[in-house]
Amino acid sequence: MGHKLNLSVRLRAVASYAVSGLPLADIGTDHGYVPIYLVDRGVIPSAIAADVRTGPLERAAEHIREYGLEEKIKVRLSDGLKNIRPGEVSQVLIAGMGGGLMARILAEGQNVLHEDGFCRLILSPQSEVRLVREELAKSGFQITEEHMVKDEGKFYFIIIGEPGDCDYSTEEDFLFGKRLVENRDEVFLEYLEEKRRKDEEILTVLRKRLETGEEDEKILSRIAEIEEEKRRILVLYSLAGGEKETMVKRISFTDEDRRMTSVEVVVEDFEDDDMGNTDGGEAERLYRDFFVSEEETGIYAEHPVLKEPEVAYGHRKVSGEYTIEDYYRLPEGVRIELIDGVFYYMGAPIATHQIIAHKLAMAFSLYLEKKNGKCEVLPGADVQLDRDDWTMLQPDIVVVYDRDKIRNQIYGNPDLVVEVLSRSTRKRDRTIKLHKYQKAGVREYWMVDPKKKMVEVYIFPDLEMATLPRVYKFEDRIPVGIFDGECEVDFGKIYHSIEDLMERENN
Protein backbone atom coordinates (compact mmCIF):
# COMPACT_ATOMS: atom_id res chain seq x y z
CA MET A 1 0.00 0.00 0.00
CA GLY A 2 1.37 3.42 -0.92
CA HIS A 3 0.50 5.58 2.06
CA LYS A 4 1.68 5.41 5.64
CA LEU A 5 -0.82 4.73 8.42
CA ASN A 6 -1.51 7.70 10.66
CA LEU A 7 -2.51 7.03 14.26
CA SER A 8 -4.49 9.09 16.73
CA VAL A 9 -2.56 11.18 19.24
CA ARG A 10 -3.14 8.54 21.92
CA LEU A 11 -2.07 5.52 19.85
CA ARG A 12 0.93 7.36 18.41
CA ALA A 13 2.07 8.15 21.94
CA VAL A 14 1.60 4.52 23.02
CA ALA A 15 3.49 3.24 19.97
CA SER A 16 6.42 5.56 20.65
CA TYR A 17 7.40 3.44 23.68
CA ALA A 18 7.99 0.24 21.67
CA VAL A 19 11.61 -0.95 21.88
CA SER A 20 13.19 -0.87 18.44
CA GLY A 21 14.16 -4.18 16.90
CA LEU A 22 12.17 -6.48 19.20
CA PRO A 23 8.99 -8.46 18.42
CA LEU A 24 5.78 -7.23 20.10
CA ALA A 25 2.37 -8.61 21.01
CA ASP A 26 -0.58 -6.20 20.88
CA ILE A 27 -3.26 -7.57 23.23
CA GLY A 28 -6.78 -6.37 22.45
CA THR A 29 -5.55 -5.23 19.07
CA ASP A 30 -8.96 -4.20 17.67
CA HIS A 31 -8.08 -2.87 14.18
CA GLY A 32 -4.41 -3.84 14.35
CA TYR A 33 -3.32 -0.26 13.79
CA VAL A 34 -0.39 -0.13 16.24
CA PRO A 35 1.37 -3.28 14.95
CA ILE A 36 0.89 -2.06 11.36
CA TYR A 37 2.29 1.36 12.26
CA LEU A 38 5.38 -0.08 13.96
CA VAL A 39 6.20 -2.82 11.45
CA ASP A 40 5.51 -0.67 8.39
CA ARG A 41 7.98 1.93 9.66
CA GLY A 42 10.61 -0.65 10.46
CA VAL A 43 10.55 0.02 14.21
CA ILE A 44 9.94 -3.64 15.07
CA PRO A 45 10.59 -6.75 12.92
CA SER A 46 7.35 -8.59 13.68
CA ALA A 47 4.22 -8.56 15.79
CA ILE A 48 1.29 -10.61 17.01
CA ALA A 49 -2.12 -8.90 16.86
CA ALA A 50 -4.24 -10.70 19.46
CA ASP A 51 -7.84 -10.32 20.54
CA VAL A 52 -10.43 -12.40 22.35
CA ARG A 53 -13.10 -11.60 19.73
CA THR A 54 -13.20 -12.80 16.16
CA GLY A 55 -14.73 -9.58 14.76
CA PRO A 56 -11.79 -7.33 15.68
CA LEU A 57 -9.35 -9.97 14.47
CA GLU A 58 -11.03 -10.11 11.07
CA ARG A 59 -10.82 -6.30 10.79
CA ALA A 60 -7.17 -6.39 11.85
CA ALA A 61 -6.36 -9.12 9.31
CA GLU A 62 -7.99 -7.07 6.53
CA HIS A 63 -5.95 -3.99 7.42
CA ILE A 64 -2.75 -6.05 7.63
CA ARG A 65 -3.38 -7.38 4.13
CA GLU A 66 -3.98 -3.86 2.82
CA TYR A 67 -0.44 -2.98 3.91
CA GLY A 68 1.05 -6.27 2.67
CA LEU A 69 2.35 -7.25 6.11
CA GLU A 70 0.84 -10.74 6.44
CA GLU A 71 4.29 -12.34 6.81
CA LYS A 72 5.37 -10.02 9.60
CA ILE A 73 2.14 -9.56 11.60
CA LYS A 74 0.18 -12.61 12.70
CA VAL A 75 -3.37 -12.38 14.02
CA ARG A 76 -4.25 -14.68 16.89
CA LEU A 77 -7.39 -15.43 18.88
CA SER A 78 -6.32 -15.17 22.50
CA ASP A 79 -7.82 -14.32 25.87
CA GLY A 80 -5.12 -11.99 27.07
CA LEU A 81 -1.72 -13.70 26.96
CA LYS A 82 -3.03 -17.26 27.16
CA ASN A 83 -2.23 -18.13 23.53
CA ILE A 84 1.10 -16.27 23.45
CA ARG A 85 4.03 -18.67 23.89
CA PRO A 86 6.84 -17.80 26.31
CA GLY A 87 9.79 -16.34 24.41
CA GLU A 88 7.66 -15.55 21.34
CA VAL A 89 7.76 -11.78 21.96
CA SER A 90 9.99 -9.46 23.97
CA GLN A 91 7.42 -6.75 24.67
CA VAL A 92 3.67 -6.54 25.19
CA LEU A 93 1.35 -3.63 24.49
CA ILE A 94 -2.12 -3.46 26.06
CA ALA A 95 -4.27 -0.38 25.48
CA GLY A 96 -7.91 0.62 25.33
CA MET A 97 -9.37 -1.57 28.08
CA GLY A 98 -10.28 -1.13 31.73
CA GLY A 99 -7.68 -1.43 34.45
CA GLY A 100 -9.40 -4.37 36.11
CA LEU A 101 -9.28 -6.47 32.97
CA MET A 102 -5.71 -5.38 32.23
CA ALA A 103 -4.59 -6.35 35.74
CA ARG A 104 -6.17 -9.80 35.30
CA ILE A 105 -4.37 -10.32 31.98
CA LEU A 106 -1.05 -9.44 33.61
CA ALA A 107 -1.69 -11.74 36.58
CA GLU A 108 -2.58 -14.67 34.30
CA GLY A 109 0.32 -14.11 31.89
CA GLN A 110 3.28 -14.48 34.23
CA ASN A 111 4.84 -17.29 32.19
CA VAL A 112 5.16 -14.96 29.20
CA LEU A 113 6.18 -11.85 31.16
CA HIS A 114 8.99 -13.54 33.10
CA GLU A 115 10.58 -15.44 30.23
CA ASP A 116 14.24 -14.63 29.59
CA GLY A 117 14.54 -11.80 27.11
CA PHE A 118 11.22 -10.17 27.95
CA CYS A 119 11.94 -6.48 28.52
CA ARG A 120 8.90 -4.19 28.44
CA LEU A 121 5.18 -3.72 29.11
CA ILE A 122 3.45 -0.77 27.44
CA LEU A 123 0.09 -0.20 29.13
CA SER A 124 -2.66 2.37 28.62
CA PRO A 125 -5.67 1.57 30.83
CA GLN A 126 -8.86 3.56 30.37
CA SER A 127 -9.99 3.23 33.99
CA GLU A 128 -8.96 1.84 37.39
CA VAL A 129 -5.34 2.75 36.71
CA ARG A 130 -4.42 2.05 40.31
CA LEU A 131 -5.17 -1.66 39.85
CA VAL A 132 -2.66 -1.83 36.99
CA ARG A 133 0.09 -0.17 39.03
CA GLU A 134 -0.56 -2.50 41.95
CA GLU A 135 -0.47 -5.59 39.73
CA LEU A 136 2.82 -4.50 38.19
CA ALA A 137 4.35 -4.22 41.65
CA LYS A 138 2.99 -7.66 42.64
CA SER A 139 4.26 -9.21 39.41
CA GLY A 140 7.85 -8.05 39.88
CA PHE A 141 7.81 -5.11 37.47
CA GLN A 142 9.19 -1.67 38.14
CA ILE A 143 7.34 1.31 36.69
CA THR A 144 10.09 3.10 34.81
CA GLU A 145 7.97 5.75 33.08
CA GLU A 146 4.50 7.23 33.22
CA HIS A 147 3.06 9.84 30.92
CA MET A 148 -0.32 11.26 30.02
CA VAL A 149 -1.73 12.42 26.71
CA LYS A 150 -4.88 14.32 25.89
CA ASP A 151 -6.70 13.26 22.76
CA GLU A 152 -10.01 14.82 21.65
CA GLY A 153 -10.66 16.19 25.12
CA LYS A 154 -9.98 12.92 26.97
CA PHE A 155 -7.04 12.07 29.23
CA TYR A 156 -5.09 8.82 28.82
CA PHE A 157 -2.43 7.24 31.02
CA ILE A 158 0.63 5.47 29.60
CA ILE A 159 2.58 3.21 31.98
CA ILE A 160 5.87 1.51 31.13
CA GLY A 161 6.80 -1.58 33.15
CA GLU A 162 10.13 -3.42 33.08
CA PRO A 163 11.39 -6.38 35.16
CA GLY A 164 12.64 -5.22 38.55
CA ASP A 165 11.60 -4.06 42.01
CA CYS A 166 8.86 -1.41 42.07
CA ASP A 167 9.56 1.66 44.21
CA TYR A 168 5.89 2.68 44.43
CA SER A 169 4.93 2.37 48.09
CA THR A 170 2.40 4.97 49.25
CA GLU A 171 -1.30 5.10 48.50
CA GLU A 172 -0.73 8.29 46.47
CA ASP A 173 2.00 6.53 44.41
CA PHE A 174 -0.46 3.88 43.23
CA LEU A 175 -3.49 6.18 43.00
CA PHE A 176 -1.94 9.03 40.98
CA GLY A 177 1.39 7.71 39.68
CA LYS A 178 4.72 8.50 41.30
CA ARG A 179 6.52 8.96 37.97
CA LEU A 180 3.92 11.46 36.75
CA VAL A 181 4.60 13.61 39.80
CA GLU A 182 8.39 13.27 39.52
CA ASN A 183 8.40 14.12 35.82
CA ARG A 184 6.12 17.13 36.32
CA ASP A 185 4.06 15.93 33.38
CA GLU A 186 2.20 18.92 31.92
CA VAL A 187 -0.84 16.93 30.82
CA PHE A 188 -0.97 15.36 34.29
CA LEU A 189 -1.15 18.86 35.78
CA GLU A 190 -4.03 19.69 33.44
CA TYR A 191 -5.71 16.42 34.47
CA LEU A 192 -5.38 17.32 38.17
CA GLU A 193 -6.86 20.76 37.51
CA GLU A 194 -9.82 19.18 35.71
CA LYS A 195 -10.28 16.64 38.51
CA ARG A 196 -10.18 19.39 41.13
CA ARG A 197 -12.75 21.41 39.17
CA LYS A 198 -15.11 18.44 38.93
CA ASP A 199 -14.69 17.72 42.65
CA GLU A 200 -15.70 21.29 43.42
CA GLU A 201 -18.82 20.97 41.25
CA ILE A 202 -19.84 17.77 43.04
CA LEU A 203 -19.21 19.36 46.46
CA THR A 204 -21.40 22.34 45.57
CA VAL A 205 -24.30 20.04 44.70
CA LEU A 206 -23.85 17.89 47.80
CA ARG A 207 -23.61 20.89 50.16
CA LYS A 208 -26.77 22.40 48.72
CA ARG A 209 -28.53 19.12 49.44
CA LEU A 210 -27.36 19.34 53.05
CA GLU A 211 -28.58 22.95 53.29
CA THR A 212 -32.09 21.77 52.40
CA GLY A 213 -32.03 19.52 55.47
CA GLU A 214 -31.18 16.28 53.70
CA GLU A 215 -28.94 14.83 56.45
CA ASP A 216 -28.01 11.63 54.68
CA GLU A 217 -25.04 9.63 55.95
CA LYS A 218 -24.12 8.72 52.37
CA ILE A 219 -23.94 12.41 51.44
CA LEU A 220 -21.74 13.21 54.45
CA SER A 221 -19.50 10.25 53.69
CA ARG A 222 -19.19 11.27 50.02
CA ILE A 223 -18.32 14.85 50.99
CA ALA A 224 -15.58 13.55 53.27
CA GLU A 225 -14.19 11.35 50.47
CA ILE A 226 -14.09 14.21 47.98
CA GLU A 227 -12.53 16.60 50.49
CA GLU A 228 -9.76 14.08 51.13
CA GLU A 229 -9.22 13.66 47.40
CA LYS A 230 -9.02 17.44 46.99
CA ARG A 231 -6.33 17.61 49.68
CA ARG A 232 -4.32 14.92 47.93
CA ILE A 233 -4.70 16.62 44.57
CA LEU A 234 -3.55 19.93 46.04
CA VAL A 235 -0.38 18.35 47.41
CA LEU A 236 0.28 16.42 44.19
CA TYR A 237 -0.31 19.52 42.08
CA SER A 238 2.32 21.31 44.12
CA LEU A 239 4.81 18.44 43.96
CA ALA A 240 4.32 18.10 40.21
CA GLY A 241 5.25 21.74 39.70
CA GLY A 242 1.81 23.18 39.05
CA GLU A 243 2.33 25.85 41.66
CA LYS A 244 5.90 26.66 42.64
CA GLU A 245 6.52 25.76 46.26
CA THR A 246 2.81 25.67 47.06
CA MET A 247 2.47 25.07 50.77
CA VAL A 248 -0.42 24.07 52.96
CA LYS A 249 0.51 25.72 56.26
CA ARG A 250 -1.33 25.42 59.54
CA ILE A 251 -1.23 28.71 61.39
CA SER A 252 -2.46 29.58 64.86
CA PHE A 253 -3.67 32.95 66.12
CA THR A 254 -5.73 34.63 68.78
CA ASP A 255 -9.02 36.04 67.55
CA GLU A 256 -10.67 39.26 68.74
CA ASP A 257 -12.01 37.43 71.79
CA ARG A 258 -8.46 36.29 72.59
CA ARG A 259 -9.38 32.71 71.84
CA MET A 260 -6.68 30.49 70.34
CA THR A 261 -7.56 28.86 67.04
CA SER A 262 -5.72 27.50 64.01
CA VAL A 263 -6.41 27.14 60.29
CA GLU A 264 -4.74 25.67 57.20
CA VAL A 265 -3.82 28.17 54.49
CA VAL A 266 -2.70 27.46 50.93
CA VAL A 267 0.29 29.66 50.07
CA GLU A 268 1.12 29.64 46.37
CA ASP A 269 4.56 30.67 45.15
CA PHE A 270 5.21 33.10 42.31
CA GLU A 271 5.18 31.75 38.77
CA ASP A 272 8.28 31.71 36.58
CA ASP A 273 8.89 34.74 34.45
CA ASP A 274 9.13 34.45 30.68
CA MET A 275 12.79 33.40 30.97
CA GLY A 276 11.99 30.56 33.34
CA ASN A 277 13.39 32.34 36.38
CA THR A 278 11.93 32.51 39.86
CA ASP A 279 12.96 34.35 42.95
CA GLY A 280 13.06 30.98 44.71
CA GLY A 281 11.27 30.38 47.99
CA GLU A 282 8.91 33.29 47.51
CA ALA A 283 6.04 31.39 49.06
CA GLU A 284 8.15 30.86 52.14
CA ARG A 285 8.85 34.60 52.37
CA LEU A 286 5.17 35.43 51.88
CA TYR A 287 4.38 32.94 54.59
CA ARG A 288 6.95 34.48 56.95
CA ASP A 289 5.56 37.97 56.38
CA PHE A 290 2.34 37.04 58.14
CA PHE A 291 2.60 33.64 59.71
CA VAL A 292 5.96 33.42 61.52
CA SER A 293 6.19 33.53 65.28
CA GLU A 294 8.50 35.63 67.40
CA GLU A 295 10.13 32.39 68.50
CA GLU A 296 11.55 31.97 64.98
CA THR A 297 12.59 35.54 64.20
CA GLY A 298 12.40 37.53 67.39
CA ILE A 299 10.74 40.48 65.65
CA TYR A 300 7.04 39.67 65.50
CA ALA A 301 6.20 39.82 69.18
CA GLU A 302 3.17 42.11 68.69
CA HIS A 303 1.74 40.26 65.71
CA PRO A 304 -1.50 38.36 66.48
CA VAL A 305 -0.38 35.27 64.54
CA LEU A 306 1.46 32.71 66.63
CA LYS A 307 3.39 29.53 66.04
CA GLU A 308 1.41 26.29 65.94
CA PRO A 309 1.06 25.24 69.61
CA GLU A 310 2.26 21.88 70.80
CA VAL A 311 -1.27 20.96 71.91
CA ALA A 312 -4.23 21.47 69.59
CA TYR A 313 -6.97 23.78 70.87
CA GLY A 314 -10.39 22.28 70.21
CA HIS A 315 -11.36 20.73 66.86
CA ARG A 316 -8.78 21.44 64.16
CA LYS A 317 -10.42 21.87 60.80
CA VAL A 318 -8.51 21.17 57.60
CA SER A 319 -8.63 22.62 54.09
CA GLY A 320 -12.07 22.06 52.60
CA GLU A 321 -13.90 22.41 55.92
CA TYR A 322 -13.66 26.16 56.50
CA THR A 323 -16.70 28.44 56.41
CA ILE A 324 -17.40 32.15 56.33
CA GLU A 325 -17.56 32.11 60.13
CA ASP A 326 -13.90 31.00 60.14
CA TYR A 327 -13.11 33.67 57.54
CA TYR A 328 -14.43 36.45 59.78
CA ARG A 329 -12.37 35.20 62.70
CA LEU A 330 -9.07 35.70 60.85
CA PRO A 331 -6.79 38.50 62.11
CA GLU A 332 -7.13 42.00 60.70
CA GLY A 333 -4.83 42.71 57.78
CA VAL A 334 -4.32 39.11 56.63
CA ARG A 335 -5.36 38.94 52.96
CA ILE A 336 -6.99 35.54 52.46
CA GLU A 337 -9.72 34.26 50.16
CA LEU A 338 -12.07 31.39 50.96
CA ILE A 339 -12.85 29.15 47.98
CA ASP A 340 -14.98 26.04 48.46
CA GLY A 341 -13.87 25.66 52.06
CA VAL A 342 -10.15 26.25 51.37
CA PHE A 343 -8.22 29.34 52.53
CA TYR A 344 -5.86 30.84 49.93
CA TYR A 345 -3.25 33.41 50.90
CA MET A 346 -3.11 36.63 48.85
CA GLY A 347 0.08 38.64 48.75
CA ALA A 348 -0.11 42.41 49.16
CA PRO A 349 -0.59 44.07 45.73
CA ILE A 350 2.35 46.06 44.36
CA ALA A 351 1.99 49.74 43.46
CA THR A 352 1.21 49.31 39.75
CA HIS A 353 -1.41 46.70 40.59
CA GLN A 354 -3.17 49.17 42.86
CA ILE A 355 -2.90 52.05 40.37
CA ILE A 356 -4.40 49.98 37.54
CA ALA A 357 -7.30 48.87 39.74
CA HIS A 358 -7.90 52.45 40.95
CA LYS A 359 -7.89 53.97 37.47
CA LEU A 360 -10.17 51.28 36.07
CA ALA A 361 -12.65 51.80 38.90
CA MET A 362 -12.54 55.54 38.24
CA ALA A 363 -13.20 55.01 34.52
CA PHE A 364 -16.26 52.87 35.28
CA SER A 365 -17.51 55.35 37.90
CA LEU A 366 -17.12 58.43 35.68
CA TYR A 367 -19.14 56.77 32.92
CA LEU A 368 -21.92 55.83 35.35
CA GLU A 369 -22.04 59.36 36.78
CA LYS A 370 -22.50 60.81 33.30
CA LYS A 371 -25.28 58.33 32.58
CA ASN A 372 -26.85 58.66 36.03
CA GLY A 373 -26.43 54.91 36.32
CA LYS A 374 -27.91 53.08 39.29
CA CYS A 375 -25.25 50.37 39.54
CA GLU A 376 -22.24 50.58 41.87
CA VAL A 377 -18.50 50.17 41.36
CA LEU A 378 -16.82 48.61 44.40
CA PRO A 379 -13.05 48.10 44.62
CA GLY A 380 -11.78 45.37 46.95
CA ALA A 381 -15.16 44.26 48.28
CA ASP A 382 -15.79 40.84 49.82
CA VAL A 383 -17.97 38.74 47.49
CA GLN A 384 -20.05 35.86 48.85
CA LEU A 385 -20.24 34.55 45.32
CA ASP A 386 -22.22 31.33 45.72
CA ARG A 387 -24.51 32.63 48.49
CA ASP A 388 -23.28 29.78 50.68
CA ASP A 389 -20.95 29.47 53.67
CA TRP A 390 -17.98 28.09 51.74
CA THR A 391 -16.73 30.87 49.48
CA MET A 392 -15.73 34.51 50.01
CA LEU A 393 -13.67 36.14 47.26
CA GLN A 394 -11.81 39.46 47.11
CA PRO A 395 -11.73 40.67 43.49
CA ASP A 396 -9.97 43.92 42.67
CA ILE A 397 -13.15 45.52 41.28
CA VAL A 398 -16.80 44.50 41.00
CA VAL A 399 -19.67 46.26 39.30
CA VAL A 400 -23.15 45.46 40.66
CA TYR A 401 -26.48 46.44 39.10
CA ASP A 402 -28.75 44.92 41.75
CA ARG A 403 -28.29 47.06 44.87
CA ASP A 404 -30.09 44.44 46.97
CA LYS A 405 -26.93 42.36 46.66
CA ILE A 406 -24.88 45.01 48.46
CA ARG A 407 -24.67 44.27 52.19
CA ASN A 408 -21.58 44.14 54.38
CA GLN A 409 -20.34 42.11 51.43
CA ILE A 410 -21.64 41.45 47.92
CA TYR A 411 -24.16 38.64 48.30
CA GLY A 412 -24.31 36.74 45.03
CA ASN A 413 -22.82 37.34 41.59
CA PRO A 414 -21.60 40.78 40.49
CA ASP A 415 -22.25 41.77 36.89
CA LEU A 416 -18.61 42.55 36.11
CA VAL A 417 -15.44 41.40 37.87
CA VAL A 418 -11.90 42.69 37.35
CA GLU A 419 -8.83 40.84 38.58
CA VAL A 420 -5.39 42.40 38.15
CA LEU A 421 -3.16 39.35 37.97
CA SER A 422 -0.24 39.11 40.35
CA ARG A 423 2.57 36.60 40.30
CA SER A 424 1.22 34.86 43.39
CA THR A 425 -2.45 34.58 42.28
CA ARG A 426 -2.19 34.35 38.49
CA LYS A 427 -2.98 30.64 38.20
CA ARG A 428 -5.92 30.82 40.62
CA ASP A 429 -7.42 33.80 38.77
CA ARG A 430 -7.08 31.96 35.45
CA THR A 431 -8.47 28.60 36.57
CA ILE A 432 -10.52 28.19 39.74
CA LYS A 433 -11.90 31.72 39.87
CA LEU A 434 -12.58 31.94 36.13
CA HIS A 435 -14.67 28.79 36.40
CA LYS A 436 -16.48 29.97 39.54
CA TYR A 437 -17.31 33.38 38.10
CA GLN A 438 -18.86 31.81 35.01
CA LYS A 439 -20.83 29.23 36.99
CA ALA A 440 -22.12 31.87 39.41
CA GLY A 441 -23.57 34.00 36.60
CA VAL A 442 -21.01 36.82 36.34
CA ARG A 443 -21.68 38.43 32.96
CA GLU A 444 -18.21 39.82 32.25
CA TYR A 445 -14.75 39.04 33.62
CA TRP A 446 -11.60 41.09 32.98
CA MET A 447 -8.13 39.67 33.67
CA VAL A 448 -5.55 42.43 33.50
CA ASP A 449 -2.07 40.97 33.06
CA PRO A 450 0.71 43.53 33.70
CA LYS A 451 3.35 40.88 33.03
CA LYS A 452 2.17 40.29 29.45
CA LYS A 453 0.71 43.79 29.00
CA MET A 454 -2.65 42.52 27.88
CA VAL A 455 -6.26 42.35 29.04
CA GLU A 456 -8.41 39.27 28.54
CA VAL A 457 -12.16 39.95 28.58
CA TYR A 458 -14.59 37.07 29.00
CA ILE A 459 -18.24 37.64 28.08
CA PHE A 460 -20.30 34.78 29.48
CA PRO A 461 -23.42 34.40 27.30
CA ASP A 462 -24.45 31.15 28.99
CA LEU A 463 -23.51 29.42 32.22
CA GLU A 464 -22.53 26.21 30.44
CA MET A 465 -21.26 27.57 27.15
CA ALA A 466 -17.52 27.43 26.55
CA THR A 467 -16.19 30.83 25.63
CA LEU A 468 -12.89 32.31 24.52
CA PRO A 469 -11.66 35.68 25.75
CA ARG A 470 -11.31 38.80 23.70
CA VAL A 471 -7.66 39.80 24.04
CA TYR A 472 -6.56 43.45 24.10
CA LYS A 473 -3.16 45.10 24.34
CA PHE A 474 -2.39 47.75 26.92
CA GLU A 475 -2.49 50.39 24.16
CA ASP A 476 -6.07 49.53 23.11
CA ARG A 477 -9.43 51.05 23.88
CA ILE A 478 -11.51 48.34 25.56
CA PRO A 479 -15.32 48.33 25.37
CA VAL A 480 -17.25 47.39 28.52
CA GLY A 481 -19.75 44.70 27.59
CA ILE A 482 -22.24 45.22 30.42
CA PHE A 483 -22.48 48.89 29.39
CA ASP A 484 -23.45 47.78 25.86
CA GLY A 485 -20.13 48.99 24.49
CA GLU A 486 -21.04 52.66 25.11
CA CYS A 487 -18.19 52.90 27.60
CA GLU A 488 -14.66 52.36 26.31
CA VAL A 489 -11.68 52.32 28.64
CA ASP A 490 -8.63 54.01 27.15
CA PHE A 491 -6.15 51.51 28.54
CA GLY A 492 -3.30 53.16 26.68
CA LYS A 493 -3.79 56.20 28.90
CA ILE A 494 -3.62 54.04 32.02
CA TYR A 495 -0.55 52.23 30.74
CA HIS A 496 1.39 55.35 29.83
CA SER A 497 0.75 56.77 33.30
CA ILE A 498 2.53 53.81 34.93
CA GLU A 499 4.95 52.71 32.20
CA ASP A 500 7.96 54.07 34.07
CA LEU A 501 6.85 52.35 37.29
CA MET A 502 6.45 49.00 35.53
CA GLU A 503 9.93 49.28 34.04
CA ARG A 504 11.34 50.08 37.50
CA GLU A 505 9.59 47.05 39.01
CA ASN A 506 10.99 44.76 36.34
CA ASN A 507 14.57 45.92 36.84
Side-chain angles (χ1 to χ4, degrees):
M1 196 169 190
H3 67 277
K4 294 287 186 182
L5 176 66
N6 290 318
L7 297 179
S8 66
V9 172
R10 175 178 68 94
L11 290 181
R12 192 163 60 248
V14 168
S16 70
Y17 290 98
V19 179
S20 178
L22 298 178
L24 173 144
D26 179 21
I27 306 301
T29 193
D30 200 6
H31 293 77
Y33 288 149
V34 175
I36 293 171
Y37 179 88
L38 292 171
V39 172
D40 192 43
R41 283 167 168 74
V43 178
I44 60 176
S46 62
I48 297 173
D51 206 291
V52 71
R53 299 164 298 167
T54 57
L57 280 181
E58 290 173 357
R59 289 195 298 270
E62 181 181 345
H63 294 146
I64 292 166
R65 286 193 297 271
E66 287 177 4
Y67 283 84
L69 298 174
E70 302 97 317
E71 296 300 317
K72 295 182 178 181
I73 304 175
K74 303 299 181 183
V75 296
R76 188 172 300 174
L77 188 66
S78 179
D79 180 3
L81 294 165
K82 290 179 180 178
N83 288 336
I84 307 297
R85 296 185 296 274
E88 198 171 12
V89 295
S90 299
Q91 51 188 331
V92 166
L93 184 152
I94 313 177
M97 65 179 67
L101 175 57
M102 191 174 291
R104 177 182 70 78
I105 290 173
L106 295 176
E108 294 175 351
Q110 296 296 303
N111 60 329
V112 174
L113 303 182
H114 287 287
E115 181 70 17
D116 288 344
F118 188 86
C119 68
R120 175 165 289 192
L121 281 164
I122 307 164
L123 309 173
S124 183
Q126 289 188 322
S127 62
E128 299 179 299
V129 184
R130 175 179 183 162
L131 297 179
V132 176
R133 297 186 181 112
E134 289 175 341
E135 183 56 44
L136 285 170
K138 290 177 188 175
S139 300
F141 279 81
Q142 59 180 320
I143 299 175
T144 57
E145 294 184 64
E146 283 205 55
H147 293 282
M148 291 193 74
V149 294
K150 189 176 182 181
D151 189 2
E152 296 185 351
K154 295 182 179 180
F155 293 96
Y156 298 94
F157 290 84
I158 301 175
I159 303 171
I160 306 303
E162 297 179 355
D165 294 331
C166 185
D167 62 350
Y168 282 36
S169 58
T170 68
E171 187 175 0
E172 284 75 15
D173 287 349
F174 288 107
L175 187 60
F176 292 102
K178 182 177 181 178
R179 294 288 174 265
L180 288 171
V181 176
E182 291 176 343
N183 296 336
R184 300 192 169 194
D185 189 283
E186 291 185 5
V187 180
F188 177 58
L189 289 172
E190 187 179 352
Y191 166 78
L192 289 178
E193 287 180 353
E194 178 71 11
K195 196 164 183 60
R196 183 165 60 177
R197 183 185 67 78
K198 289 181 178 178
D199 281 348
E200 288 167 356
E201 289 179 349
I202 295 170
L203 282 174
T204 298
V205 173
L206 292 175
R207 284 168 177 159
K208 285 180 179 177
R209 288 176 64 182
L210 287 178
E211 289 171 6
T212 62
E214 191 177 342
E215 290 287 344
D216 190 300
E217 288 187 8
K218 290 183 179 179
I219 295 177
L220 295 172
S221 176
R222 182 64 179 140
I223 288 175
E225 289 175 5
I226 296 173
E227 291 290 7
E228 179 59 28
E229 183 175 82
K230 279 181 62 181
R231 281 171 53 76
R232 286 176 175 170
I233 289 174
L234 180 63
V235 173
L236 286 167
Y237 193 77
S238 169
L239 292 173
E243 293 157 350
K244 307 299 181 188
E245 295 189 34
T246 297
M247 300 183 293
V248 181
K249 289 289 189 178
R250 177 167 287 279
I251 64 164
S252 295
F253 59 90
T254 51
D255 62 19
E256 59 185 13
D257 297 321
R258 305 306 296 171
R259 293 177 299 182
M260 178 68 76
T261 188
S262 66
V263 298
E264 285 187 347
V265 179
V266 177
V267 185
E268 301 168 329
D269 203 355
F270 288 168
E271 284 193 340
D272 296 351
D273 61 24
D274 290 330
M275 301 300 292
N277 302 314
T278 63
D279 290 334
E282 191 62 44
E284 185 64 41
R285 288 199 290 276
L286 287 171
Y287 171 76
R288 292 179 68 86
D289 283 346
F290 282 98
F291 303 143
V292 175
S293 75
E294 57 180 313
E295 297 171 47
E296 291 182 331
T297 66
I299 59 174
Y300 292 96
E302 300 303 320
H303 201 281
V305 177
L306 307 176
K307 186 179 180 181
E308 172 67 6
E310 295 297 326
V311 181
Y313 292 80
H315 171 64
R316 300 208 314 182
K317 291 183 177 181
V318 296
S319 286
E321 297 181 352
Y322 297 114
T323 65
I324 287 175
E325 181 182 357
D326 300 308
Y327 176 85
Y328 282 127
R329 292 178 64 193
L330 292 170
E332 289 285 338
V334 178
R335 300 187 73 242
I336 285 177
E337 287 186 307
L338 177 66
I339 305 178
D340 294 319
V342 178
F343 281 134
Y344 290 86
Y345 175 74
M346 301 171 64
I350 59 176
T352 50
H353 180 130
Q354 296 180 69
I355 293 171
I356 290 171
H358 171 72
K359 289 184 178 291
L360 273 177
M362 287 292 294
F364 297 154
S365 297
L366 288 172
Y367 168 80
L368 290 169
E369 285 179 11
K370 291 179 181 177
K371 293 289 185 178
N372 294 317
K374 297 290 181 71
C375 62
E376 296 293 337
V377 179
L378 299 112
D382 282 349
V383 178
Q384 197 171 349
L385 186 69
D386 299 327
R387 296 185 178 92
D388 62 14
D389 290 334
W390 305 95
T391 295
M392 184 75 86
L393 304 181
Q394 294 182 23
D396 288 295
I397 306 169
V398 296
V399 178
V400 181
Y401 270 87
D402 184 355
R403 294 174 62 87
D404 289 338
K405 293 179 180 179
I406 302 174
R407 307 177 185 182
N408 291 333
Q409 76 286 354
I410 308 303
Y411 187 73
N413 59 298
D415 294 276
L416 182 148
V417 173
V418 177
E419 296 280 11
V420 182
L421 306 187
S422 66
R423 294 175 65 194
S424 60
T425 62
R426 168 187 305 274
K427 180 169 283 292
R428 188 160 72 247
D429 291 338
R430 286 188 176 280
T431 54
I432 299 174
K433 292 173 75 173
L434 168 62
H435 175 71
K436 288 197 73 68
Y437 287 142
Q438 180 178 12
K439 288 294 183 182
V442 171
R443 294 160 54 196
E444 186 168 355
Y445 178 36
W446 289 32
M447 284 190 287
V448 181
D449 191 342
K451 174 183 173 182
K452 296 183 178 179
K453 297 179 183 177
M454 69 180 192
V455 181
E456 296 176 62
V457 178
Y458 284 84
I459 306 293
F460 298 128
D462 185 272
L463 298 188
E464 301 296 333
M465 186 182 296
T467 183
L468 295 174
R470 302 169 186 175
V471 180
Y472 300 91
K473 298 178 181 178
F474 266 22
E475 294 83 3
D476 292 339
R477 297 181 66 87
I478 305 176
V480 184
I482 64 166
F483 300 151
D484 298 323
E486 293 181 2
C487 171
E488 284 191 336
V489 175
D490 186 351
F491 216 93
K493 187 175 181 181
I494 296 175
Y495 171 53
H496 292 308
S497 72
I498 58 170
E499 190 173 4
D500 59 328
L501 299 179
M502 291 179 64
E503 289 178 2
R504 196 177 307 156
E505 288 171 352
N506 292 330
N507 292 331

